[in-house]
Amino acid sequence: MKTVTAAVIGAGGRGREYAQYALDEPGELRITAVAEPDPIRREAFADQHGIDPSMRFDSWEALLAGPPVADAVLICTQDRMHYEPAVKALELGYHVLLEKPMSNDPGECARLGQYAERTDRVFAICHVLRYTPFFSTVKRLLDEGRIGDPVTIDLIENVGYWHQAHSFVRGNWRRADESNPMILAKSCHDLDILVWLAGADCDTLSSFGGLRHFTEENAPPGAPYRCLDGCPVSDVCPYYAPDIYLNNEDKVSERILRGAISHDTSTEGVLEALRTGPYGRCVYRCDNDVVDHQVVAMEFANGITATFTMTAFTTDGGRTLKIMGTRGQLRAHMAKNTIEISDFKTGRVETIDLASTGLNHGGGDLGIMRDFTRLVRGEGDGASLSSADVSVQSHMMAFAAEQSRLSRKAIPIRDLIASVSVQ
């Protein structure tokens, strides 16, 4: 079996998680090059994977300036840095795995979809939910007709209060002009899953939501700019930064959140980051402008209707799902790995308890890496389950949802697609 070689562009959280597959399955994948502007992060990643010093680059432009140095490229840069390296890598002949979202521009998304249709390379988008045992089982049960014909789908993304504070109030995805609207940055995953489960493209949607809570007006009296500057409500505020990063081991791991705010993940290193960096700010005194709650109502081409809710105000993260069919209903809880099927005729209720993977994104990261390397090796038939030409639909839905939220009008997806230039 051929070992696939890959270069990683962006050695942050997502890049490290996908590249972990090479450490766990060295016979299937080997990382041979990295491009990362942060020198500490770059060298740590390169040393972990045994990358030759000549294959350590400080930019994607430098890595892609010459002939291919690997079979594939994993592009895991910030949201607004996806399009150009993806196009360049495809033109050079690399297979490409691109972190979502594809782009913050509808036209660029459409053009990437066209690249996928024209190229003989594997070009997949990291819609990892399709590869989880949880959603794969739900899809199989629907295809088997276990609840008859699906009619209505209700999906909730429980962002989690601490995740909202970390990523979308204090962090890299807090502003739409620096990243993307939250419905695209966070939930193109979910819109993609709805397309997959519905088995048809979305026809029309409408959306409502906004930034309700994390604003200056809601700051407690006397709250300072930084949590560590003598916050008078530190004992009752759930967003108090030291609690999230230092005192909450059941929700926050050193490997994920502490490492995101500081190279030094010791207690003193994290405290210093909170004293001086963006993650120590009071959540009511940040420069965030993305929503903290949003609802999308959709009608698909086959008549199925769906609602999607994204909300910050939940204790835990994960997805909850209810699908209503002509012969029964399906209820499922991703974090608990449970699926319940009720039959209208017999009244029988079957509960399926899936084994917890203990892996990121419910095993989706592992699943997509396993599938991507298989396809790069030329094993099996067919394109990627999350090929870029398929992923365009969910991105257009996200753009339409934001347009609808701002205009308070229903948006026909075909009209949005027709208005997009793909020249």
Side-chain angles (χ1 to χ4, degrees):
M1 180 177 67
K2 178 185 184 297
T3 299
V4 173
T5 58
V8 173
I9 296 177
R14 300 308 293 139
R16 292 195 300 272
E17 294 301 334
Y18 295 130
Q20 181 65 34
Y21 188 69
L23 301 177
D24 295 338
E25 300 290 345
E28 292 205 4
L29 179 67
R30 182 165 59 90
I31 307 299
T32 58
V34 61
E36 166 58 51
D38 185 314
I40 295 177
R41 185 177 292 163
R42 179 177 65 247
E43 294 308 309
F45 180 92
D47 289 346
Q48 184 181 37
H49 288 273
I51 297 173
D52 187 271
S54 66
M55 291 290 104
R56 305 179 183 193
F57 303 91
D58 62 5
S59 69
W60 69 263
E61 291 92 342
L63 190 154
L64 298 179
V69 296
D71 300 316
V73 172
L74 314 182
I75 300 176
C76 308
T77 52
Q78 283 295 316
D79 290 4
R80 289 180 174 244
M81 299 171 61
H82 288 175
Y83 178 75
E84 290 187 40
V87 171
K88 181 65 174 178
L90 289 167
E91 290 175 344
L92 287 172
Y94 286 99
H95 301 280
V96 173
L97 182 67
L98 177 62
E99 180 58 273
K100 60 83 187 168
M102 299 162 72
S103 168
N104 66 307
D105 178 80
E108 290 182 351
C109 290
R111 287 192 286 277
L112 288 175
Q114 289 188 340
Y115 268 96
E117 293 174 348
R118 295 196 303 258
T119 186
D120 62 352
R121 305 286 91 180
V122 180
F123 182 20
I125 307 302
C126 292
H127 284 308
V128 297
L129 295 183
R130 291 193 181 213
Y131 299 86
T132 62
F134 176 83
F135 278 110
S136 296
T137 302
V138 170
K139 176 64 171 173
R140 175 178 60 79
L141 293 169
L142 293 181
D143 290 345
E144 290 174 354
R146 295 290 298 276
I147 61 169
D149 295 327
V151 177
T152 308
I153 305 174
D154 181 23
L155 176 62
I156 300 176
E157 179 172 16
N158 306 282
V159 177
Y161 73 95
W162 60 268
H163 188 3
Q164 182 80 21
H166 170 75
S167 295
F168 302 101
V169 178
R170 294 171 169 134
N172 292 332
W173 295 273
R174 71 191 184 280
R175 293 186 60 85
D177 61 350
E178 294 181 5
S179 175
N180 284 300
M182 190 173 168
I183 194 68
L184 178 63
K186 185 75 175 79
S187 298
C188 62
H189 271 320
D190 302 88
L191 300 176
D192 175 72
I193 276 294
L194 286 169
V195 171
W196 195 44
L197 297 180
D201 286 348
C202 182
D203 184 70
T204 304
L205 60 73
S206 59
S207 183
F208 301 92
L211 177 57
R212 176 184 176 88
H213 184 67
F214 300 100
T215 65
E216 185 82 21
E217 292 76 15
N218 289 318
Y225 177 71
R226 291 187 178 277
C227 292
L228 288 173
D229 290 343
C231 177
V233 295
S234 62
D235 57 337
V236 296
C237 178
Y239 309 105
Y240 183 59
D243 283 346
I244 289 178
Y245 295 101
L246 291 172
N247 306 326
N248 219 347
E249 292 299 334
D250 61 329
K251 292 189 177 69
V252 181
S253 75
E254 178 178 336
R255 183 172 60 87
I256 299 176
L257 292 192
R258 293 179 191 173
I261 72 170
S262 175
H263 291 307
D264 179 359
T265 57
S266 68
T267 296
E268 184 51 45
V270 171
L271 285 172
E272 178 61 22
L274 298 183
R275 283 191 286 264
T276 60
Y279 294 93
R281 293 177 294 176
C282 171
V283 293
Y284 304 105
R285 303 198 185 281
C286 294
D287 59 343
N288 55 300
D289 64 6
V290 299
V291 303
D292 52 25
H293 69 293
Q294 190 165 352
V295 176
V296 186
M298 294 150 277
E299 183 175 42
F300 290 86
N302 57 5
I304 290 177
T305 56
T307 56
F308 170 64
T309 299
M310 173 183 70
T311 179
F313 307 105
T314 61
T315 301
D316 299 312
R319 277 90 179 171
T320 51
L321 175 71
K322 184 176 181 181
I323 305 177
M324 293 140 274
T326 56
R327 299 179 62 86
Q329 71 174 24
L330 181 151
R331 294 194 301 178
H333 195 300
M334 188 177 183
K336 296 179 179 178
N337 277 302
T338 60
I339 301 171
E340 178 188 278
I341 300 174
S342 303
D343 185 278
F344 295 156
K345 177 65 174 177
T346 65
R348 181 171 177 263
V349 178
E350 177 186 357
T351 300
I352 301 172
D353 291 311
L354 300 173
S356 175
T357 65
L359 300 172
N360 284 343
H361 292 103
D365 291 357
L366 171 63
I368 197 170
M369 290 306 302
R370 181 180 291 152
D371 188 65
F372 181 71
T373 54
R374 175 185 65 84
L375 292 171
V376 170
R377 283 196 301 269
E379 298 175 1
D381 298 324
S384 168
L385 190 61
S386 58
S387 179
D389 55 329
V390 173
S391 297
V392 171
Q393 169 72 192
S394 61
H395 285 69
M396 292 302 175
M397 291 167 67
F399 292 122
E402 186 66 1
Q403 183 179 331
S404 174
R405 184 182 74 85
L406 296 173
S407 68
R408 302 183 72 83
K409 296 179 180 178
I411 306 297
I413 304 297
R414 61 184 177 277
D415 291 352
L416 175 61
I417 293 175
S419 70
V420 171
S421 171
V422 293
Q423 300 301 318

